[in-house]
Amino acid sequence: DDIPGYSGDGLDDAWQVQYFGLNNPSAAPTFDADSDGHTNLFEFTAGLDPTLGTSRFTQDAVRPVGQPTQMNIVISPRLPDRTYTIKTSTILGPSAVWTNLTG
């Protein structure tokens, strides 16, 4: 974080310059530059293009062939420098308790 206007905001400066150039208020972490409902911080974290509304983070449950009791969770895009944790809860809402999914 050493580029004036972008330093100290929690986003990688090089990422902000790549997509927004220098000194662009649309590069702010809480801004949704492509109006897709996701902030720049989310799009940076997920590895998405913050200027392209069709750039999406997806997760799908896929049943492996020949294993009717199993499901694989497929995440896209999946970046090598990110850690992904799938969480589970028996209820939804403010009182939900989330734990890491195992097995």
Side-chain angles (χ1 to χ4, degrees), residues 12-36:
D12 180 71
D13 290 355
W15 182 86
Q16 289 173 294
V17 170
Q18 174 186 350
Y19 289 105
F20 300 104
L22 293 172
N23 293 325
N24 187 337
S26 295
T30 58
F31 196 78
D32 179 9
D34 55 9
S35 301
D36 65 358

mmCIF file with all atom_site columns, all heavy atoms in Angstrom, residues 12-36:
data_model
loop_
_atom_site.group_PDB
_atom_site.id
_atom_site.type_symbol
_atom_site.label_atom_id
_atom_site.label_alt_id
_atom_site.label_comp_id
_atom_site.label_asym_id
_atom_site.label_entity_id
_atom_site.label_seq_id
_atom_site.pdbx_PDB_ins_code
_atom_site.Cartn_x
_atom_site.Cartn_y
_atom_site.Cartn_z
_atom_site.occupancy
_atom_site.B_iso_or_equiv
_atom_site.pdbx_formal_charge
_atom_site.auth_seq_id
_atom_site.auth_comp_id
_atom_site.auth_asym_id
_atom_site.auth_atom_id
_atom_site.pdbx_PDB_model_num
ATOM 1   N N   . ASP A 1 12 ? -5.246  -4.268 -2.667  1.00 0.00 ? 12 ASP A N   1
ATOM 2   C CA  . ASP A 1 12 ? -3.927  -4.240 -3.267  1.00 0.00 ? 12 ASP A CA  1
ATOM 3   C C   . ASP A 1 12 ? -3.848  -3.066 -4.247  1.00 0.00 ? 12 ASP A C   1
ATOM 4   O O   . ASP A 1 12 ? -4.685  -2.951 -5.149  1.00 0.00 ? 12 ASP A O   1
ATOM 5   C CB  . ASP A 1 12 ? -3.683  -5.568 -3.994  1.00 0.00 ? 12 ASP A CB  1
ATOM 6   C CG  . ASP A 1 12 ? -2.326  -5.620 -4.645  1.00 0.00 ? 12 ASP A CG  1
ATOM 7   O OD1 . ASP A 1 12 ? -1.330  -5.711 -3.907  1.00 0.00 ? 12 ASP A OD1 1
ATOM 8   O OD2 . ASP A 1 12 ? -2.272  -5.547 -5.893  1.00 0.00 ? 12 ASP A OD2 1
ATOM 9   N N   . ASP A 1 13 ? -2.861  -2.210 -4.065  1.00 0.00 ? 13 ASP A N   1
ATOM 10  C CA  . ASP A 1 13 ? -2.737  -1.021 -4.912  1.00 0.00 ? 13 ASP A CA  1
ATOM 11  C C   . ASP A 1 13 ? -2.578  -1.384 -6.384  1.00 0.00 ? 13 ASP A C   1
ATOM 12  O O   . ASP A 1 13 ? -3.177  -0.745 -7.252  1.00 0.00 ? 13 ASP A O   1
ATOM 13  C CB  . ASP A 1 13 ? -1.546  -0.170 -4.475  1.00 0.00 ? 13 ASP A CB  1
ATOM 14  C CG  . ASP A 1 13 ? -1.765  0.517  -3.140  1.00 0.00 ? 13 ASP A CG  1
ATOM 15  O OD1 . ASP A 1 13 ? -2.867  0.420  -2.591  1.00 0.00 ? 13 ASP A OD1 1
ATOM 16  O OD2 . ASP A 1 13 ? -0.806  1.144  -2.646  1.00 0.00 ? 13 ASP A OD2 1
ATOM 17  N N   . ALA A 1 14 ? -1.780  -2.389 -6.679  1.00 0.00 ? 14 ALA A N   1
ATOM 18  C CA  . ALA A 1 14 ? -1.558  -2.779 -8.077  1.00 0.00 ? 14 ALA A CA  1
ATOM 19  C C   . ALA A 1 14 ? -2.871  -3.235 -8.715  1.00 0.00 ? 14 ALA A C   1
ATOM 20  O O   . ALA A 1 14 ? -3.128  -2.948 -9.894  1.00 0.00 ? 14 ALA A O   1
ATOM 21  C CB  . ALA A 1 14 ? -0.508  -3.885 -8.159  1.00 0.00 ? 14 ALA A CB  1
ATOM 22  N N   . TRP A 1 15 ? -3.715  -3.922 -7.960  1.00 0.00 ? 15 TRP A N   1
ATOM 23  C CA  . TRP A 1 15 ? -5.024  -4.359 -8.458  1.00 0.00 ? 15 TRP A CA  1
ATOM 24  C C   . TRP A 1 15 ? -5.897  -3.143 -8.777  1.00 0.00 ? 15 TRP A C   1
ATOM 25  O O   . TRP A 1 15 ? -6.545  -3.085 -9.816  1.00 0.00 ? 15 TRP A O   1
ATOM 26  C CB  . TRP A 1 15 ? -5.686  -5.254 -7.418  1.00 0.00 ? 15 TRP A CB  1
ATOM 27  C CG  . TRP A 1 15 ? -7.014  -5.822 -7.798  1.00 0.00 ? 15 TRP A CG  1
ATOM 28  C CD1 . TRP A 1 15 ? -7.241  -6.968 -8.508  1.00 0.00 ? 15 TRP A CD1 1
ATOM 29  C CD2 . TRP A 1 15 ? -8.301  -5.292 -7.492  1.00 0.00 ? 15 TRP A CD2 1
ATOM 30  N NE1 . TRP A 1 15 ? -8.595  -7.181 -8.646  1.00 0.00 ? 15 TRP A NE1 1
ATOM 31  C CE2 . TRP A 1 15 ? -9.270  -6.157 -8.039  1.00 0.00 ? 15 TRP A CE2 1
ATOM 32  C CE3 . TRP A 1 15 ? -8.736  -4.157 -6.809  1.00 0.00 ? 15 TRP A CE3 1
ATOM 33  C CZ2 . TRP A 1 15 ? -10.636 -5.935 -7.911  1.00 0.00 ? 15 TRP A CZ2 1
ATOM 34  C CZ3 . TRP A 1 15 ? -10.096 -3.935 -6.688  1.00 0.00 ? 15 TRP A CZ3 1
ATOM 35  C CH2 . TRP A 1 15 ? -11.028 -4.817 -7.231  1.00 0.00 ? 15 TRP A CH2 1
ATOM 36  N N   . GLN A 1 16 ? -5.893  -2.153 -7.871  1.00 0.00 ? 16 GLN A N   1
ATOM 37  C CA  . GLN A 1 16 ? -6.681  -0.945 -8.093  1.00 0.00 ? 16 GLN A CA  1
ATOM 38  C C   . GLN A 1 16 ? -6.205  -0.198 -9.337  1.00 0.00 ? 16 GLN A C   1
ATOM 39  O O   . GLN A 1 16 ? -7.021  0.242  -10.146 1.00 0.00 ? 16 GLN A O   1
ATOM 40  C CB  . GLN A 1 16 ? -6.618  -0.041 -6.859  1.00 0.00 ? 16 GLN A CB  1
ATOM 41  C CG  . GLN A 1 16 ? -7.399  -0.611 -5.684  1.00 0.00 ? 16 GLN A CG  1
ATOM 42  C CD  . GLN A 1 16 ? -7.189  0.189  -4.424  1.00 0.00 ? 16 GLN A CD  1
ATOM 43  O OE1 . GLN A 1 16 ? -6.101  0.226  -3.880  1.00 0.00 ? 16 GLN A OE1 1
ATOM 44  N NE2 . GLN A 1 16 ? -8.255  0.823  -3.958  1.00 0.00 ? 16 GLN A NE2 1
ATOM 45  N N   . VAL A 1 17 ? -4.903  -0.065 -9.511  1.00 0.00 ? 17 VAL A N   1
ATOM 46  C CA  . VAL A 1 17 ? -4.368  0.628  -10.681 1.00 0.00 ? 17 VAL A CA  1
ATOM 47  C C   . VAL A 1 17 ? -4.684  -0.161 -11.951 1.00 0.00 ? 17 VAL A C   1
ATOM 48  O O   . VAL A 1 17 ? -5.051  0.418  -12.977 1.00 0.00 ? 17 VAL A O   1
ATOM 49  C CB  . VAL A 1 17 ? -2.847  0.862  -10.539 1.00 0.00 ? 17 VAL A CB  1
ATOM 50  C CG1 . VAL A 1 17 ? -2.239  1.361  -11.839 1.00 0.00 ? 17 VAL A CG1 1
ATOM 51  C CG2 . VAL A 1 17 ? -2.566  1.846  -9.408  1.00 0.00 ? 17 VAL A CG2 1
ATOM 52  N N   . GLN A 1 18 ? -4.583  -1.487 -11.885 1.00 0.00 ? 18 GLN A N   1
ATOM 53  C CA  . GLN A 1 18 ? -4.868  -2.327 -13.052 1.00 0.00 ? 18 GLN A CA  1
ATOM 54  C C   . GLN A 1 18 ? -6.280  -2.079 -13.583 1.00 0.00 ? 18 GLN A C   1
ATOM 55  O O   . GLN A 1 18 ? -6.487  -1.960 -14.788 1.00 0.00 ? 18 GLN A O   1
ATOM 56  C CB  . GLN A 1 18 ? -4.715  -3.801 -12.683 1.00 0.00 ? 18 GLN A CB  1
ATOM 57  C CG  . GLN A 1 18 ? -5.118  -4.754 -13.792 1.00 0.00 ? 18 GLN A CG  1
ATOM 58  C CD  . GLN A 1 18 ? -5.086  -6.210 -13.348 1.00 0.00 ? 18 GLN A CD  1
ATOM 59  O OE1 . GLN A 1 18 ? -4.593  -6.554 -12.287 1.00 0.00 ? 18 GLN A OE1 1
ATOM 60  N NE2 . GLN A 1 18 ? -5.622  -7.082 -14.179 1.00 0.00 ? 18 GLN A NE2 1
ATOM 61  N N   . TYR A 1 19 ? -7.257  -2.001 -12.691 1.00 0.00 ? 19 TYR A N   1
ATOM 62  C CA  . TYR A 1 19 ? -8.648  -1.875 -13.120 1.00 0.00 ? 19 TYR A CA  1
ATOM 63  C C   . TYR A 1 19 ? -9.169  -0.428 -13.195 1.00 0.00 ? 19 TYR A C   1
ATOM 64  O O   . TYR A 1 19 ? -10.092 -0.154 -13.949 1.00 0.00 ? 19 TYR A O   1
ATOM 65  C CB  . TYR A 1 19 ? -9.562  -2.701 -12.214 1.00 0.00 ? 19 TYR A CB  1
ATOM 66  C CG  . TYR A 1 19 ? -9.388  -4.179 -12.434 1.00 0.00 ? 19 TYR A CG  1
ATOM 67  C CD1 . TYR A 1 19 ? -8.701  -4.955 -11.522 1.00 0.00 ? 19 TYR A CD1 1
ATOM 68  C CD2 . TYR A 1 19 ? -9.897  -4.800 -13.565 1.00 0.00 ? 19 TYR A CD2 1
ATOM 69  C CE1 . TYR A 1 19 ? -8.538  -6.316 -11.728 1.00 0.00 ? 19 TYR A CE1 1
ATOM 70  C CE2 . TYR A 1 19 ? -9.742  -6.152 -13.790 1.00 0.00 ? 19 TYR A CE2 1
ATOM 71  C CZ  . TYR A 1 19 ? -9.055  -6.906 -12.863 1.00 0.00 ? 19 TYR A CZ  1
ATOM 72  O OH  . TYR A 1 19 ? -8.890  -8.256 -13.077 1.00 0.00 ? 19 TYR A OH  1
ATOM 73  N N   . PHE A 1 20 ? -8.575  0.477  -12.402 1.00 0.00 ? 20 PHE A N   1
ATOM 74  C CA  . PHE A 1 20 ? -9.148  1.821  -12.302 1.00 0.00 ? 20 PHE A CA  1
ATOM 75  C C   . PHE A 1 20 ? -8.183  2.950  -12.644 1.00 0.00 ? 20 PHE A C   1
ATOM 76  O O   . PHE A 1 20 ? -8.602  4.105  -12.673 1.00 0.00 ? 20 PHE A O   1
ATOM 77  C CB  . PHE A 1 20 ? -9.686  2.049  -10.883 1.00 0.00 ? 20 PHE A CB  1
ATOM 78  C CG  . PHE A 1 20 ? -10.751 1.073  -10.487 1.00 0.00 ? 20 PHE A CG  1
ATOM 79  C CD1 . PHE A 1 20 ? -10.476 0.019  -9.630  1.00 0.00 ? 20 PHE A CD1 1
ATOM 80  C CD2 . PHE A 1 20 ? -12.041 1.198  -10.983 1.00 0.00 ? 20 PHE A CD2 1
ATOM 81  C CE1 . PHE A 1 20 ? -11.461 -0.881 -9.266  1.00 0.00 ? 20 PHE A CE1 1
ATOM 82  C CE2 . PHE A 1 20 ? -13.037 0.299  -10.618 1.00 0.00 ? 20 PHE A CE2 1
ATOM 83  C CZ  . PHE A 1 20 ? -12.747 -0.746 -9.763  1.00 0.00 ? 20 PHE A CZ  1
ATOM 84  N N   . GLY A 1 21 ? -6.914  2.647  -12.866 1.00 0.00 ? 21 GLY A N   1
ATOM 85  C CA  . GLY A 1 21 ? -5.941  3.706  -13.088 1.00 0.00 ? 21 GLY A CA  1
ATOM 86  C C   . GLY A 1 21 ? -5.606  4.395  -11.771 1.00 0.00 ? 21 GLY A C   1
ATOM 87  O O   . GLY A 1 21 ? -5.923  3.894  -10.695 1.00 0.00 ? 21 GLY A O   1
ATOM 88  N N   . LEU A 1 22 ? -4.997  5.559  -11.844 1.00 0.00 ? 22 LEU A N   1
ATOM 89  C CA  . LEU A 1 22 ? -4.591  6.285  -10.645 1.00 0.00 ? 22 LEU A CA  1
ATOM 90  C C   . LEU A 1 22 ? -5.676  7.251  -10.184 1.00 0.00 ? 22 LEU A C   1
ATOM 91  O O   . LEU A 1 22 ? -6.405  7.825  -11.004 1.00 0.00 ? 22 LEU A O   1
ATOM 92  C CB  . LEU A 1 22 ? -3.304  7.061  -10.911 1.00 0.00 ? 22 LEU A CB  1
ATOM 93  C CG  . LEU A 1 22 ? -2.062  6.206  -11.153 1.00 0.00 ? 22 LEU A CG  1
ATOM 94  C CD1 . LEU A 1 22 ? -0.901  7.082  -11.602 1.00 0.00 ? 22 LEU A CD1 1
ATOM 95  C CD2 . LEU A 1 22 ? -1.702  5.417  -9.907  1.00 0.00 ? 22 LEU A CD2 1
ATOM 96  N N   . ASN A 1 23 ? -5.782  7.426  -8.858  1.00 0.00 ? 23 ASN A N   1
ATOM 97  C CA  . ASN A 1 23 ? -6.667  8.418  -8.241  1.00 0.00 ? 23 ASN A CA  1
ATOM 98  C C   . ASN A 1 23 ? -8.106  8.362  -8.749  1.00 0.00 ? 23 ASN A C   1
ATOM 99  O O   . ASN A 1 23 ? -8.697  9.388  -9.102  1.00 0.00 ? 23 ASN A O   1
ATOM 100 C CB  . ASN A 1 23 ? -6.096  9.828  -8.424  1.00 0.00 ? 23 ASN A CB  1
ATOM 101 C CG  . ASN A 1 23 ? -4.822  10.016 -7.646  1.00 0.00 ? 23 ASN A CG  1
ATOM 102 O OD1 . ASN A 1 23 ? -4.681  9.472  -6.558  1.00 0.00 ? 23 ASN A OD1 1
ATOM 103 N ND2 . ASN A 1 23 ? -3.896  10.764 -8.190  1.00 0.00 ? 23 ASN A ND2 1
ATOM 104 N N   . ASN A 1 24 ? -8.686  7.189  -8.782  1.00 0.00 ? 24 ASN A N   1
ATOM 105 C CA  . ASN A 1 24 ? -10.057 7.029  -9.241  1.00 0.00 ? 24 ASN A CA  1
ATOM 106 C C   . ASN A 1 24 ? -10.937 6.666  -8.045  1.00 0.00 ? 24 ASN A C   1
ATOM 107 O O   . ASN A 1 24 ? -10.743 5.627  -7.424  1.00 0.00 ? 24 ASN A O   1
ATOM 108 C CB  . ASN A 1 24 ? -10.129 5.929  -10.296 1.00 0.00 ? 24 ASN A CB  1
ATOM 109 C CG  . ASN A 1 24 ? -11.489 5.816  -10.934 1.00 0.00 ? 24 ASN A CG  1
ATOM 110 O OD1 . ASN A 1 24 ? -12.488 6.215  -10.369 1.00 0.00 ? 24 ASN A OD1 1
ATOM 111 N ND2 . ASN A 1 24 ? -11.517 5.245  -12.128 1.00 0.00 ? 24 ASN A ND2 1
ATOM 112 N N   . PRO A 1 25 ? -11.908 7.499  -7.676  1.00 0.00 ? 25 PRO A N   1
ATOM 113 C CA  . PRO A 1 25 ? -12.761 7.190  -6.522  1.00 0.00 ? 25 PRO A CA  1
ATOM 114 C C   . PRO A 1 25 ? -13.571 5.912  -6.706  1.00 0.00 ? 25 PRO A C   1
ATOM 115 O O   . PRO A 1 25 ? -14.020 5.316  -5.723  1.00 0.00 ? 25 PRO A O   1
ATOM 116 C CB  . PRO A 1 25 ? -13.673 8.411  -6.399  1.00 0.00 ? 25 PRO A CB  1
ATOM 117 C CG  . PRO A 1 25 ? -13.518 9.186  -7.657  1.00 0.00 ? 25 PRO A CG  1
ATOM 118 C CD  . PRO A 1 25 ? -12.233 8.777  -8.289  1.00 0.00 ? 25 PRO A CD  1
ATOM 119 N N   . SER A 1 26 ? -13.737 5.437  -7.929  1.00 0.00 ? 26 SER A N   1
ATOM 120 C CA  . SER A 1 26 ? -14.458 4.181  -8.166  1.00 0.00 ? 26 SER A CA  1
ATOM 121 C C   . SER A 1 26 ? -13.687 2.972  -7.657  1.00 0.00 ? 26 SER A C   1
ATOM 122 O O   . SER A 1 26 ? -14.227 1.870  -7.597  1.00 0.00 ? 26 SER A O   1
ATOM 123 C CB  . SER A 1 26 ? -14.744 4.001  -9.655  1.00 0.00 ? 26 SER A CB  1
ATOM 124 O OG  . SER A 1 26 ? -15.621 4.992  -10.110 1.00 0.00 ? 26 SER A OG  1
ATOM 125 N N   . ALA A 1 27 ? -12.423 3.154  -7.288  1.00 0.00 ? 27 ALA A N   1
ATOM 126 C CA  . ALA A 1 27 ? -11.586 2.055  -6.798  1.00 0.00 ? 27 ALA A CA  1
ATOM 127 C C   . ALA A 1 27 ? -11.730 1.826  -5.292  1.00 0.00 ? 27 ALA A C   1
ATOM 128 O O   . ALA A 1 27 ? -11.126 0.918  -4.748  1.00 0.00 ? 27 ALA A O   1
ATOM 129 C CB  . ALA A 1 27 ? -10.123 2.333  -7.132  1.00 0.00 ? 27 ALA A CB  1
ATOM 130 N N   . ALA A 1 28 ? -12.557 2.613  -4.620  1.00 0.00 ? 28 ALA A N   1
ATOM 131 C CA  . ALA A 1 28 ? -12.714 2.488  -3.164  1.00 0.00 ? 28 ALA A CA  1
ATOM 132 C C   . ALA A 1 28 ? -13.240 1.097  -2.796  1.00 0.00 ? 28 ALA A C   1
ATOM 133 O O   . ALA A 1 28 ? -14.037 0.506  -3.525  1.00 0.00 ? 28 ALA A O   1
ATOM 134 C CB  . ALA A 1 28 ? -13.672 3.550  -2.651  1.00 0.00 ? 28 ALA A CB  1
ATOM 135 N N   . PRO A 1 29 ? -12.817 0.549  -1.658  1.00 0.00 ? 29 PRO A N   1
ATOM 136 C CA  . PRO A 1 29 ? -13.215 -0.801 -1.247  1.00 0.00 ? 29 PRO A CA  1
ATOM 137 C C   . PRO A 1 29 ? -14.723 -1.011 -1.154  1.00 0.00 ? 29 PRO A C   1
ATOM 138 O O   . PRO A 1 29 ? -15.224 -2.089 -1.480  1.00 0.00 ? 29 PRO A O   1
ATOM 139 C CB  . PRO A 1 29 ? -12.573 -0.975 0.125   1.00 0.00 ? 29 PRO A CB  1
ATOM 140 C CG  . PRO A 1 29 ? -11.469 0.009  0.159   1.00 0.00 ? 29 PRO A CG  1
ATOM 141 C CD  . PRO A 1 29 ? -11.891 1.150  -0.710  1.00 0.00 ? 29 PRO A CD  1
ATOM 142 N N   . THR A 1 30 ? -15.465 -0.010 -0.745  1.00 0.00 ? 30 THR A N   1
ATOM 143 C CA  . THR A 1 30 ? -16.911 -0.169 -0.564  1.00 0.00 ? 30 THR A CA  1
ATOM 144 C C   . THR A 1 30 ? -17.715 0.192  -1.809  1.00 0.00 ? 30 THR A C   1
ATOM 145 O O   . THR A 1 30 ? -18.938 0.050  -1.810  1.00 0.00 ? 30 THR A O   1
ATOM 146 C CB  . THR A 1 30 ? -17.409 0.702  0.610   1.00 0.00 ? 30 THR A CB  1
ATOM 147 O OG1 . THR A 1 30 ? -17.065 2.066  0.350   1.00 0.00 ? 30 THR A OG1 1
ATOM 148 C CG2 . THR A 1 30 ? -16.779 0.250  1.921   1.00 0.00 ? 30 THR A CG2 1
ATOM 149 N N   . PHE A 1 31 ? -17.039 0.620  -2.879  1.00 0.00 ? 31 PHE A N   1
ATOM 150 C CA  . PHE A 1 31 ? -17.723 1.021  -4.102  1.00 0.00 ? 31 PHE A CA  1
ATOM 151 C C   . PHE A 1 31 ? -18.024 -0.199 -4.969  1.00 0.00 ? 31 PHE A C   1
ATOM 152 O O   . PHE A 1 31 ? -17.275 -1.164 -5.001  1.00 0.00 ? 31 PHE A O   1
ATOM 153 C CB  . PHE A 1 31 ? -16.859 2.014  -4.876  1.00 0.00 ? 31 PHE A CB  1
ATOM 154 C CG  . PHE A 1 31 ? -17.609 2.780  -5.929  1.00 0.00 ? 31 PHE A CG  1
ATOM 155 C CD1 . PHE A 1 31 ? -18.419 3.846  -5.573  1.00 0.00 ? 31 PHE A CD1 1
ATOM 156 C CD2 . PHE A 1 31 ? -17.517 2.431  -7.260  1.00 0.00 ? 31 PHE A CD2 1
ATOM 157 C CE1 . PHE A 1 31 ? -19.127 4.559  -6.533  1.00 0.00 ? 31 PHE A CE1 1
ATOM 158 C CE2 . PHE A 1 31 ? -18.217 3.136  -8.231  1.00 0.00 ? 31 PHE A CE2 1
ATOM 159 C CZ  . PHE A 1 31 ? -19.026 4.193  -7.864  1.00 0.00 ? 31 PHE A CZ  1
ATOM 160 N N   . ASP A 1 32 ? -19.138 -0.167 -5.658  1.00 0.00 ? 32 ASP A N   1
ATOM 161 C CA  . ASP A 1 32 ? -19.531 -1.222 -6.601  1.00 0.00 ? 32 ASP A CA  1
ATOM 162 C C   . ASP A 1 32 ? -19.437 -0.636 -8.002  1.00 0.00 ? 32 ASP A C   1
ATOM 163 O O   . ASP A 1 32 ? -20.420 -0.159 -8.564  1.00 0.00 ? 32 ASP A O   1
ATOM 164 C CB  . ASP A 1 32 ? -20.955 -1.703 -6.287  1.00 0.00 ? 32 ASP A CB  1
ATOM 165 C CG  . ASP A 1 32 ? -21.457 -2.768 -7.232  1.00 0.00 ? 32 ASP A CG  1
ATOM 166 O OD1 . ASP A 1 32 ? -20.667 -3.287 -8.054  1.00 0.00 ? 32 ASP A OD1 1
ATOM 167 O OD2 . ASP A 1 32 ? -22.650 -3.091 -7.154  1.00 0.00 ? 32 ASP A OD2 1
ATOM 168 N N   . ALA A 1 33 ? -18.244 -0.687 -8.579  1.00 0.00 ? 33 ALA A N   1
ATOM 169 C CA  . ALA A 1 33 ? -17.965 -0.002 -9.841  1.00 0.00 ? 33 ALA A CA  1
ATOM 170 C C   . ALA A 1 33 ? -18.789 -0.523 -11.014 1.00 0.00 ? 33 ALA A C   1
ATOM 171 O O   . ALA A 1 33 ? -19.136 0.233  -11.911 1.00 0.00 ? 33 ALA A O   1
ATOM 172 C CB  . ALA A 1 33 ? -16.479 -0.110 -10.172 1.00 0.00 ? 33 ALA A CB  1
ATOM 173 N N   . ASP A 1 34 ? -19.117 -1.800 -11.023 1.00 0.00 ? 34 ASP A N   1
ATOM 174 C CA  . ASP A 1 34 ? -19.853 -2.367 -12.158 1.00 0.00 ? 34 ASP A CA  1
ATOM 175 C C   . ASP A 1 34 ? -21.325 -2.619 -11.844 1.00 0.00 ? 34 ASP A C   1
ATOM 176 O O   . ASP A 1 34 ? -22.036 -3.250 -12.626 1.00 0.00 ? 34 ASP A O   1
ATOM 177 C CB  . ASP A 1 34 ? -19.179 -3.645 -12.660 1.00 0.00 ? 34 ASP A CB  1
ATOM 178 C CG  . ASP A 1 34 ? -18.979 -4.682 -11.574 1.00 0.00 ? 34 ASP A CG  1
ATOM 179 O OD1 . ASP A 1 34 ? -19.504 -4.506 -10.454 1.00 0.00 ? 34 ASP A OD1 1
ATOM 180 O OD2 . ASP A 1 34 ? -18.302 -5.688 -11.843 1.00 0.00 ? 34 ASP A OD2 1
ATOM 181 N N   . SER A 1 35 ? -21.785 -2.133 -10.699 1.00 0.00 ? 35 SER A N   1
ATOM 182 C CA  . SER A 1 35 ? -23.204 -2.225 -10.296 1.00 0.00 ? 35 SER A CA  1
ATOM 183 C C   . SER A 1 35 ? -23.747 -3.650 -10.309 1.00 0.00 ? 35 SER A C   1
ATOM 184 O O   . SER A 1 35 ? -24.890 -3.889 -10.677 1.00 0.00 ? 35 SER A O   1
ATOM 185 C CB  . SER A 1 35 ? -24.073 -1.332 -11.196 1.00 0.00 ? 35 SER A CB  1
ATOM 186 O OG  . SER A 1 35 ? -23.646 0.005  -11.111 1.00 0.00 ? 35 SER A OG  1
ATOM 187 N N   . ASP A 1 36 ? -22.917 -4.607 -9.877  1.00 0.00 ? 36 ASP A N   1
ATOM 188 C CA  . ASP A 1 36 ? -23.360 -6.001 -9.849  1.00 0.00 ? 36 ASP A CA  1
ATOM 189 C C   . ASP A 1 36 ? -23.760 -6.477 -8.451  1.00 0.00 ? 36 ASP A C   1
ATOM 190 O O   . ASP A 1 36 ? -24.060 -7.636 -8.245  1.00 0.00 ? 36 ASP A O   1
ATOM 191 C CB  . ASP A 1 36 ? -22.300 -6.931 -10.431 1.00 0.00 ? 36 ASP A CB  1
ATOM 192 C CG  . ASP A 1 36 ? -21.017 -6.965 -9.609  1.00 0.00 ? 36 ASP A CG  1
ATOM 193 O OD1 . ASP A 1 36 ? -20.910 -6.237 -8.603  1.00 0.00 ? 36 ASP A OD1 1
ATOM 194 O OD2 . ASP A 1 36 ? -20.100 -7.714 -9.992  1.00 0.00 ? 36 ASP A OD2 1
#
